Amino acid sequence: MHGYDVFRHYERKRWTIEDLPFDEIDPDQVRPEYVTMVKSSVMGEANSIAAQHGFLNEFDDYDFSAFVAVWGYEELQHHFAFRTWLDAVGVSMPSGPVEAMRAPYGPGTTPCATLATNIISELTVNHVYRSVAAWVQEPVLRGLMLRASRDEAGHAREFVHYARQRLQRHPDELSSVLETLYVYTSEQRIKHPVGVFKSGLAEVENHETIDTAFDMFLAGIATEGELDRLQDNIRRAFSALTGLDVSTNSRVRRRLAEALA
């Protein structure tokens, strides 16, 4: 069972919140932008419980469900670790916006589309966390961002594994995978499932959201061409998943038209 192999691998690489020296944070190195970025990350990571609920409702595969349980633990760990950093610098996180994230996600157009959405989610956050780690000067936050980034890379790899298995059993779901790829990479901005499905909630009005972090990233952290590099990385993952050349938006559209024909 692949989920068992993932569990054993995660056991060997697991870190704990206690591994990070929060008591060594130098307040003089904490900038307001860091606080905004971390509060946005807390909000993004708060969705793991809603996502687990959705996964377990949509999929009846025990192996994948076992992976989801392990994945959910790591995502919740990110949420609590970012909150611990905020506590350490004297910033409180209101409970209302976090609790508003609890509602489960609805199923995707197909189960494979749901998996494809999560591949994009994990690759996006992996990239952004890694870049933010290179940008921040406060060492504890840098270390936390790097740990979270590495976790997200592993999550993306496993979602690709389960999506590939699903496509082999249900090749009719290919068009939904290509459609998902196009929806999230056809514009010159970062689109993330949390922002797409959890925007507009009254509880998060006038509060940081995951989109706040992405806007900050593109406005002042990302280097020239970095959004293109992120989207190219996502397309490469989908090329490996589908065995198709989806390296540009026009090629994605062409493969989608062929799949629908």
Side-chain angles (χ1 to χ4, degrees):
M1 186 169 72
H2 187 70
Y4 172 71
D5 295 333
V6 172
F7 179 82
R8 294 298 302 275
H9 174 67
Y10 283 7
E11 269 198 327
R12 290 190 294 270
K13 73 176 184 65
R14 179 155 295 145
W15 55 276
T16 69
I17 290 177
E18 284 69 27
D19 292 331
L20 292 164
F22 291 102
D23 58 341
E24 297 178 12
I25 294 174
D26 181 357
D28 292 336
Q29 292 184 303
V30 177
R31 292 161 44 183
E33 308 95 285
Y34 299 174
V35 173
T36 299
M37 181 65 71
V38 174
K39 290 174 79 173
S40 302
S41 299
V42 167
M43 291 298 293
E45 300 286 1
N47 284 272
S48 64
I49 297 200
Q52 285 184 79
H53 189 158
F55 283 135
L56 296 176
N57 276 343
E58 187 173 358
F59 293 83
D60 59 3
D61 177 352
Y62 187 93
D63 185 13
F64 177 66
S65 299
F67 161 70
V68 165
V70 178
W71 167 85
Y73 175 91
E74 289 204 341
E75 297 288 14
L76 190 61
Q77 182 184 37
H78 298 168
H79 172 78
F80 286 141
F82 284 124
R83 293 188 74 157
T84 303
W85 188 89
L86 289 175
D87 289 343
V89 301
V91 175
S92 61
M93 189 75 187
S95 61
V98 171
E99 292 174 2
M101 299 294 104
R102 173 60 186 89
Y105 290 97
T109 54
T110 70
C112 216
T114 297
L115 296 172
T117 299
N118 282 271
I119 294 169
I120 294 169
S121 169
E122 304 292 346
L123 290 174
T124 299
V125 179
N126 159 255
H127 185 104
V128 172
Y129 282 169
R130 187 174 66 251
S131 293
V132 170
W135 168 71
V136 300
Q137 299 299 310
E138 198 288 296
V140 178
L141 180 56
R142 183 188 306 127
L144 172 53
M145 286 286 182
L146 284 173
R147 290 173 188 267
S149 174
R150 286 192 290 266
D151 289 346
E152 306 292 9
H155 300 164
R157 182 178 60 249
E158 304 310 334
F159 277 114
V160 168
H161 169 85
Y162 286 106
R164 183 178 290 113
Q165 281 193 336
R166 176 78 193 183
L167 266 184
Q168 289 171 350
R169 298 193 303 268
H170 301 275
D172 55 299
E173 296 184 7
L174 173 62
S175 61
S176 69
V177 171
L178 297 171
E179 180 182 38
T180 300
L181 174 62
Y182 186 75
V183 165
Y184 282 94
T185 61
S186 61
E187 301 175 46
Q188 281 296 298
R189 65 187 181 99
I190 295 177
K191 290 181 72 174
H192 188 279
V194 173
V196 170
F197 293 105
K198 293 296 180 76
S199 63
L201 295 173
E203 293 88 347
V204 302
E205 189 175 353
N206 301 318
H207 192 278
E208 293 86 354
T209 68
I210 194 169
D211 287 331
T212 308
F214 293 145
D215 290 343
M216 282 184 60
F217 173 73
L218 292 177
I221 302 173
T223 58
E224 184 177 356
E226 192 157 2
L227 176 59
D228 291 335
R229 290 193 292 275
L230 167 59
Q231 293 185 338
D232 286 345
N233 187 39
I234 292 171
R235 292 190 192 99
R236 282 195 298 273
F238 276 71
S239 289
L241 168 63
T242 63
L244 301 172
D245 181 357
V246 290
S247 55
T248 65
N249 284 329
S250 62
R251 288 181 175 135
V252 175
R253 290 196 302 271
R254 191 175 306 130
R255 300 292 92 80
L256 178 57
E258 291 167 353
L260 291 170

